[in-house]
Amino acid sequence: MEDGKSTGPKAKWWSRPTAGGTTRTAPDEPTPVQDTAPTVDVTGATGVTEAHAAEVPPQPSAPETVSYPPAPEPVASVVATQPVAPLHEPDQYSTPPYGGPGPWAPAPPVQRPVPTPAHGTPVPPQYAGTNGAGIPTSPAPGLTPPPQQPQSQPTQWLQYDPWGAPRQPLTNPGPPLGADGGRKKNRRGPLLVGAVLLALVAGGIGGGIGAYIERNGGLTQVELPQTGHNSGGRAPDSVAGIASSALPSVVTLHVSGTTESGTGTGFVLDKSGHILTNNHVVAPAGSSGEITVTFSGGETARAEVVGKDSGYDLAVVKVTGVSGLKPLPLGNSDNVQVGDPVVAIGAPFDLSNTVTSGIISAKDRPITAGGEKGDGSDISYVDALQTDAPINPGNSGGPLVDTDAHVIGINSAIRAADSGSSTEGGQAGSIGLGFAIPINQGKRVAEELINTGKATHPVIGVTLDMKYTGDGAKVGTKGAADKPAVTPGGPGAKAGIKPGDVITEVDGRRVHSGEELIVKIRAHRPGDRLDLGLTRGGKDLSISLTLGSATGT
């Protein structure tokens, strides 16, 4: 080689085939180079290559027709050329484009031949190709493009030109970047802002709808009419009005001792901190136990026993260091009539501030409670008020109030369905038979316990036969420890009562048993004068006596 180009036969790249034959007419002007060897055309070639057309000058001879048989097969054209003087000095370094192709040269395009269509089938025009800048090139001199035939849209691979296209049309179709890129970029900003605003508005609307559904129970749920709120005021004589007035004065007591504990109720007597309750409520504390008072507002305080009496089943405790105490007014139990409405307040089963209501079912019910010790020292005798207001364990010591919110009794006992009358501290539930100590008796005993620490009992100075089953209370024939049944010099001896007499009336009211006689006597104060009716040897007698006094326990 003299100019870096191959002078021998050179393989060419085939152009795309076309249907039918193609006529190539040489130009009229003569060519300046006449020493070029004629082209050897091998029958069956599919066309003339671009490289061949560039090297062979046009001939002034008659037009040469090249036919394209129906079923061509690719065959290499061999071009014989004469040595030509090099245009440049030989490059000893073989630098492209004058030397051989360098390792960085791009690979030539891959052209995939397709079967020649049948005769008469329209085919696309011959592929013209582009230069390195992507500009289409015109046909080589001396070649006439085939006439245009009606054809369908060319396929993608027929439009592919890796040498001229700045980017791959098959992988990135569409218009090139540049002209309107900035406009699209500018348009994307407002679209993004609009999308954000739309999302915010939609979120706000959704949140509002969600809140409405949560508050109103849905969009389609039924909402029933309801009366609006009122001021909360109630008539003073209604149950609500009574409870509102009395509750601040009611307390709950929690008592714990060495062997047992309990819960009960009490109410404030004065601003000094004295609280009235039942004896059986504070009894578990003994002499070293602990008593805690809880007020209706939740405040608590320690309490100490001031005095107690088992015969009346009453006790007074006192709290210190507590201000703002509200005493509960005391009524008059003698004014109570059967059928009067009443309200009971307490802590049944430790449920503090519980309010129940009912009526006075009966008066002067003689009941006894206690007796667990067996010696009779813990038995209480009560000329009680009966009520159907529910009273349960924990109500003991609580107030029974009238419509003026005045205390008329101290809730103390219930009638159980299976165990007779008993203290309310038992585990039986209410069956509508509750009993309260009349407040007139409670007031007197409370005053004595506060003033002296003990209570006095009115007595007639006789020993009763508690085993007597007949009607009335029978005086025994012998007292305790073989003492006389009628105490010498006592109220009974002075009135003329003798052993064996049966007392049948007290102040004109019938007496049916010994317990009932004791209850009716204790309903009075020491020094009160009583009229008694009795039977002696089948004869009815009437006597009068003045009650004596004995210290209770």
Side-chain angles (χ1 to χ4, degrees):
M1 293 190 303
E2 297 180 358
D3 57 353
K5 293 183 181 180
S6 175
T7 58
K10 188 176 182 181
K12 306 298 180 178
W13 296 105
W14 301 103
S15 64
R16 294 176 177 84
T18 58
T22 302
T23 302
R24 182 179 60 199
T25 304
D28 294 336
E29 63 272 15
T31 177
V33 181
Q34 300 293 332
D35 57 351
T36 303
T39 301
V40 179
D41 188 7
V42 180
T43 303
T46 59
V48 179
T49 63
E50 293 177 2
H52 180 71
E55 293 178 5
V56 179
Q59 300 296 327
S61 59
E64 180 182 357
T65 301
V66 179
S67 300
Y68 297 89
E73 294 181 2
V75 181
S77 295
V78 179
V79 180
T81 59
Q82 294 294 330
V84 182
L87 299 178
H88 303 281
E89 294 296 330
D91 185 7
Q92 59 180 347
Y93 300 103
S94 299
T95 305
Y98 309 113
W104 54 83
V110 178
Q111 306 245 349
R112 300 181 182 179
V114 298
T116 302
H119 181 71
T121 303
V123 295
Q126 182 179 358
Y127 180 70
T130 61
N131 60 11
I135 302 173
T137 58
S138 60
L143 297 180
T144 302
Q148 298 293 329
Q149 301 290 340
Q151 56 187 359
S152 60
Q153 183 69 24
T155 58
Q156 287 287 349
W157 72 271
L158 292 177
Q159 301 177 8
Y160 174 67
D161 185 2
W163 299 102
R167 58 193 175 109
Q168 300 295 336
L170 294 178
T171 58
N172 193 9
L177 298 175
D180 57 347
R183 182 174 58 187
K184 291 184 179 179
K185 183 177 180 181
N186 294 336
R187 190 183 307 165
R188 190 175 303 145
L191 290 177
L192 181 59
V193 173
V196 172
L197 293 177
L198 180 62
L200 293 176
V201 172
I205 295 175
I209 294 175
Y212 177 83
I213 293 175
E214 181 180 0
R215 294 178 181 177
N216 299 276
L219 298 175
T220 59
Q221 291 187 0
V222 175
E223 184 175 352
L224 300 176
Q226 185 181 22
T227 304
H229 294 285
N230 56 27
S231 60
R234 295 292 184 272
D237 58 349
S238 66
V239 175
I242 296 168
S244 176
S245 177
L247 275 172
S249 303
V250 181
V251 301
T252 301
L253 285 80
H254 295 91
V255 182
S256 61
T258 56
T259 59
E260 57 182 333
S261 61
T263 302
T265 310
F267 59 93
V268 179
L269 292 174
D270 55 28
K271 293 186 178 181
S272 299
H274 292 106
I275 296 171
L276 182 63
T277 186
N278 282 136
N279 175 70
H280 72 262
V281 170
V282 301
S287 58
S288 60
E290 181 177 313
I291 302 174
T292 302
V293 174
T294 303
F295 293 88
S296 61
E299 303 87 355
T300 61
R302 294 285 299 275
E304 300 292 338
V305 177
V306 175
K308 58 183 179 179
D309 187 273
S310 60
Y312 289 113
D313 192 21
L314 291 173
V316 174
V317 300
K318 184 179 182 180
V319 294
T320 57
V322 180
S323 59
L325 294 176
K326 180 183 177 181
L328 193 59
L330 305 181
N332 190 329
S333 54
D334 288 342
N335 298 333
V336 174
Q337 300 293 324
V338 174
D340 285 348
V342 291
V343 173
I345 304 175
F349 299 100
D350 204 15
L351 300 173
S352 60
N353 300 331
T354 297
V355 176
T356 57
S357 64
I359 62 170
I360 295 295
S361 303
K363 295 177 60 177
D364 303 323
R365 290 294 194 193
I367 64 169
T368 59
E372 287 81 3
K373 293 183 178 180
D375 58 359
S377 61
D378 63 334
I379 297 177
S380 60
Y381 299 90
V382 180
D383 194 19
L385 298 173
Q386 180 182 329
T387 180
D388 65 347
I391 297 174
N392 290 285
N395 275 108
S396 287
L400 185 70
V401 300
D402 58 14
T403 55
D404 295 326
H406 295 168
V407 182
I408 58 172
I410 303 102
N411 302 317
S412 300
I414 62 173
R415 175 79 180 190
D418 57 352
S419 62
S421 71
S422 62
T423 59
E424 179 272 328
Q427 292 303 309
S430 173
I431 60 172
L433 294 175
F435 302 96
I437 300 171
I439 192 59
N440 289 5
Q441 182 175 337
K443 177 180 178 298
R444 178 183 69 82
V445 173
E447 290 172 347
E448 291 182 347
L449 293 176
I450 293 172
N451 294 327
T452 65
K454 292 183 177 295
T456 59
H457 299 174
V459 296
I460 61 175
V462 298
T463 301
L464 298 177
D465 183 3
M466 304 304 293
K467 297 180 180 180
Y468 178 70
T469 59
D471 190 36
K474 184 178 181 179
V475 180
T477 58
K478 188 181 292 187
D482 292 335
K483 292 182 179 180
V486 179
T487 304
K494 293 179 180 179
I497 298 176
K498 296 182 178 180
D501 289 347
V502 177
I503 302 174
T504 58
E505 291 182 1
V506 174
D507 286 341
R509 294 184 298 174
R510 189 70 183 179
V511 174
H512 302 283
S513 65
E515 290 84 357
E516 190 172 348
L517 177 62
I518 296 172
V519 166
K520 293 191 179 298
I521 290 174
R522 289 191 177 180
H524 294 78
R525 295 173 178 268
D528 289 348
R529 190 164 187 86
L530 297 181
D531 294 328
L532 302 178
L534 53 86
T535 301
R536 180 185 299 162
K539 294 181 180 180
D540 295 333
L541 301 174
S542 295
I543 62 173
S544 180
L545 57 80
T546 301
L547 295 174
S549 176
T551 302
T553 58

